[in-house]
């Protein structure tokens, strides 16, 4: 696809919004809704056009947002090791909160045998369950889904030339569009395109008289290596990319929080982070996001062509966010919003169009929501909540706080518009006013005006740690 074709697709997406082409309105939905779950990897919600980033082009994700409701404060709870996506996906499958999910991970086969996984409960409710893409859960996906197409590992292979770049001087020999580098190009077709191919095949199944579909389509994009066709890179010249407002050459607590120079994710760019390096990485990030978005468009078009669009719950989300140059960090192993928050957009029967929910939620609440809409019920041990009460505006539907953790090194609490961060081994506390300081640049923990709030949030964090079976709970 060249630049002209991409912009034409973007224009077509806007035209579809104007003409109400997807999903159809005014058609009575019958039976339980199909569920189309679109899952990205390492996607900061701040890197989606409809969620506030004017630089990046995501016309098809924007289609979903225009037709549905955005949950603007959606968090992943964290991780028990550096592969944050493993914890995120294990929580999504099992419905268990972080530390209990960690305990379940070695025995997921037993959870599957007992039917205590999201897709198995959907199948029990009469759904045909289909999977393609990144799995990264410690069990065979064929024990969870009825139809399995391509199964990808945690990330495409990142060659040595993809690290510590771009150089301060001289040519950057790593070219994201070079198919000889393997990675997303392994197998001859970009992995994001393969997911869309599989989705189109799933949706060709006859609609009339068939079972409702549950499609779990998990992209590896935009995880590194951030490879995309050259025409997408050409959309984002690095010298035209804005530096993040919270750009830093180096994060002061990187070693104490476990994000030092030995962490794989942090080795992608040179130390310290230069403005040029951050612009290059963000340009490549935007390019693979736009390429991902084009595949989302293909899937939405196939959904419409299948005749199912009027009775399908479409969910777009991601397993975790990503710093990609913010705060001097490249990875997601930190408690800042760019890494802990994810996009969550829902559209379909009963979901308000153009809606926005600002209450804090967890991304795994999407599974509980789909189960309720499917009439599938849950199981003992499902700890996440359906978001339908929030959508209905029910009193007391919102959580009073959101918790986050990374290994034994970091803890987080979000409550009443403020965030508390604790670097446990360093004994350091940070406090941010998320409304006044959304990019988390000003630490208020030493401000006497916030001393009472700081102490109250520390007590609340300790309380939640006990509830969560946090290994650091006192």
């Amino acid at each position: 696809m060249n630049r002209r074709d991409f912009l034409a697709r973007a224009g077509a997406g806007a035209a579809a919004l104007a003409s109400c082409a997807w999903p159809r309105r005014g058609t009575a939905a019958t039976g339980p809704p199909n569920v189309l779950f679109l899952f990205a990897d390492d996607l900061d919600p701040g890197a989606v056009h409809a969620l506030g980033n004017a630089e990046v082009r995501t016309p098809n994700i924007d289609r979903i947002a225009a037709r549905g409701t955005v949950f603007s404060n959606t968090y992943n709870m964290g991780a028990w090791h550096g592969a944050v996506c493993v914890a995120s996906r294990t929580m999504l499958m099992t419905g268990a909160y972080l530390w209990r999910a960690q305990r379940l991970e070695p025995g997921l086969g037993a959870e599957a045998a007992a039917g205590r996984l999201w897709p198995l409960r959907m199948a029990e409710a009469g759904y045909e369950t289909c999977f393609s893409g990144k799995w990264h859960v410690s069990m065979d996906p064929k024990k969870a889904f009825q139809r399995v197409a391509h199964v990808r590992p945690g990330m495409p292979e990142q060659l040595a030339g993809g690290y510590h770049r771009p150089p301060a001087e001289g040519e950057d020999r790593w070219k994201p569009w070079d198919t000889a580098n393997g990675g997303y190009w392994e197998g001859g077709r970009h992995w994001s395109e393969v997911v869309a191919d599989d989705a189109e095949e799933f949706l060709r199944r006859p609609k009339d008289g068939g079972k409702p579909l549950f499609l779990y389509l998990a992209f590896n994009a935009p995880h590194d290596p951030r490879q995309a066709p050259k025409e997408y890179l050409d959309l984002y010249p690095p010298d035209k990319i804005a530096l993040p407002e919270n750009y830093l050459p180096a994060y002061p607590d990187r070693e104490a929080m476990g994000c030092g120079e030995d962490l794989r994710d942090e080795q992608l760019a040179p130390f310290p982070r230069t403005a040029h390096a951050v612009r290059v990485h963000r340009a490549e990030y935007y390019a693979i996001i736009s390429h991902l978005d084009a595949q989302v468009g293909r899937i939405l078009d196939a959904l419409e062509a299948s005749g199912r669009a009027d009775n399908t719950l479409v969910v777009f989300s991601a397993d975790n966010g990503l710093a990609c140059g913010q705060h001097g960090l490249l990875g997601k192993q930190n408690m800042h919003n760019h890494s802990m928050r994810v996009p969550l957009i829902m559209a379909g029967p009963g979901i308000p169009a153009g809606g926005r929910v600002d209450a804090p939620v967890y991304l795994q609440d999407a599974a509980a929501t789909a189960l309720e809409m499917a009439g599938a019920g849950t199981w003992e041990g499902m700890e996440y909540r359906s978001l339908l009460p929030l959508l209905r505006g029910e009193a007391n539907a919102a959580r009073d706080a959101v918790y986050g953790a990374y290994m034994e090194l970091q803890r987080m609490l979000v409550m009443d518009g403020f965030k508390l961060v604790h670097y446990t081994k360093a004994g350091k506390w940070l406090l941010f006013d998320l409304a006044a300081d959304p990019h988390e640049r000003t630490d208020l923990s030493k401000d006497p005006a916030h001393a009472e709030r700081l102490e109250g949030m520390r007590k609340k964090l300790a309380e939640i740690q006990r509830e969560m079976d946090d290994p650091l709970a006192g």
Side-chain angles (χ1 to χ4, degrees):
M1 180 187 296
N2 58 31
R3 180 183 176 94
R4 180 179 299 174
D5 289 340
F6 177 85
L7 296 177
R9 176 178 281 276
L17 290 176
S19 63
C20 299
W22 179 85
R24 294 170 180 153
R25 299 294 177 192
T27 303
T30 58
N34 305 288
V35 176
L36 173 59
F37 184 69
L38 302 169
F39 209 31
D41 188 8
D42 283 9
L43 181 56
D44 172 11
V48 175
H49 185 92
L51 304 184
N53 188 320
E55 284 189 315
V56 68
R57 295 174 170 93
T58 54
N60 295 294
I61 300 171
D62 298 354
R63 285 168 72 182
I64 306 173
R67 293 297 176 197
T69 292
V70 171
F71 294 83
S72 62
N73 284 298
T74 301
Y75 288 84
N76 176 48
M77 195 175 283
W80 51 79
H81 54 53
V84 177
C85 45
V86 170
S88 175
R89 291 158 198 264
T90 303
M91 288 186 278
L92 185 67
M93 286 292 115
T94 64
Y97 285 162
L98 180 65
W99 302 112
R100 289 185 277 275
Q102 181 189 26
R103 291 202 301 268
L104 289 175
E105 186 188 21
L108 288 181
E111 293 301 296
R116 291 190 294 263
L117 298 178
W118 180 20
L120 293 176
R121 190 52 58 99
M122 297 291 285
E124 186 178 321
Y127 279 73
E128 182 176 6
T129 62
C130 308
F131 169 82
S132 179
K134 174 171 174 171
W135 180 231
H136 222 192
V137 178
S138 299
M139 61 171 291
D140 184 349
K142 292 181 180 178
K143 294 182 179 179
F145 291 89
Q146 296 162 335
R147 299 180 65 201
V148 175
H150 291 83
V151 180
R152 302 298 190 185
M155 60 175 284
E157 184 180 5
Q158 172 67 277
L159 299 183
Y163 291 99
H164 301 286
R165 55 164 293 270
E169 297 180 0
E171 181 186 2
D172 182 1
R173 296 185 179 181
W174 173 263
K175 306 300 181 187
W177 57 85
D178 186 354
T179 59
N181 286 330
Y184 280 93
W185 306 111
E186 191 70 34
R189 185 161 172 79
H190 195 285
W191 289 9
S192 294
E193 296 170 12
V194 173
V195 170
D197 294 344
D198 292 339
E200 290 175 336
E201 180 60 30
F202 291 147
L203 287 165
R204 289 190 190 105
R205 302 275 289 187
K207 171 179 175 286
D208 295 335
K211 294 180 178 181
L213 295 178
F214 172 42
L215 272 58
Y216 181 106
L217 304 173
F219 296 91
N220 283 84
H223 195 294
D224 71 280
R226 291 183 274 273
Q227 296 164 296
K230 190 173 186 302
E231 53 265 31
Y232 288 88
L233 274 298
D234 290 343
L235 295 169
Y236 301 105
D239 61 350
K240 304 297 183 184
I241 299 299
L243 274 180
E245 291 187 42
N246 48 16
Y247 162 75
L248 290 174
Y251 193 81
D253 298 299
R254 59 192 181 278
E255 297 294 339
M257 63 193 277
C259 296
E261 297 187 16
D262 58 342
L263 184 65
R264 190 209 70 86
D265 296 49
E266 297 302 330
Q267 295 176 15
L268 292 168
F271 301 92
R273 316 310 191 183
T274 65
H276 172 63
V278 168
R279 287 190 171 101
V280 166
H281 279 273
R282 292 188 72 78
E284 294 170 2
Y285 191 45
Y286 292 165
I288 193 172
I289 290 169
S290 288
H291 181 250
L292 162 67
D293 180 83
Q295 312 320 309
V296 170
R298 288 178 55 201
I299 296 168
L300 296 180
D301 291 346
L303 176 66
E304 175 68 21
S306 76
R308 296 180 173 92
D310 55 307
N311 191 31
T312 296
L313 170 66
V314 179
V315 180
F316 179 84
S317 193
D319 57 355
N320 47 254
L322 193 73
C324 199
Q326 299 180 77
H327 286 107
L329 302 168
L330 268 290
K332 62 266 188 179
Q333 298 86 354
N334 63 84
M335 297 288 105
H336 286 294
N337 268 1
H338 46 65
S339 299
M340 294 301 292
R341 288 199 315 172
V342 299
L344 178 59
I345 309 168
M346 293 186 180
I351 308 294
R356 179 184 173 100
V357 173
D358 293 327
V361 303
Y362 295 112
L363 82 89
Q364 293 84 1
D365 291 336
T369 307
L371 287 164
E372 181 176 355
M373 292 185 69
T378 59
W379 56 90
E380 184 179 356
M382 165 57 86
E383 299 186 279
Y384 294 98
R385 304 178 183 178
S386 169
L387 298 173
L388 295 183
L390 277 175
L391 290 170
R392 293 191 291 261
E394 293 182 11
N396 303 318
R399 291 180 174 87
D400 61 353
V402 161
Y403 160 90
Y406 177 64
M407 299 177 62
E408 75 285 3
L409 300 171
Q410 304 176 47
R411 295 296 182 267
M412 175 197 86
L413 181 75
V414 175
M415 186 172 71
D416 298 331
F418 283 77
K419 178 190 284 186
L420 179 71
V421 175
H422 185 204
Y423 297 144
T424 57
K425 290 197 172 181
K428 185 169 183 175
W429 297 86
L430 304 174
L431 181 66
F432 299 104
D433 180 344
L434 296 177
D437 180 24
H439 299 289
E440 299 170 302
R441 294 183 294 177
T442 303
D443 172 28
L444 302 174
S445 64
K446 302 297 191 297
D447 186 339
H450 292 279
E452 184 176 350
R453 181 183 298 277
L454 176 68
E455 184 60 24
M457 291 185 71
R458 288 178 61 166
K459 289 180 179 178
K460 181 66 174 179
L461 175 59
E463 175 187 324
I464 293 182
Q465 285 181 272
R466 291 189 291 270
E467 293 173 359
M468 295 281 182
D469 292 338
D470 186 326
L472 298 185

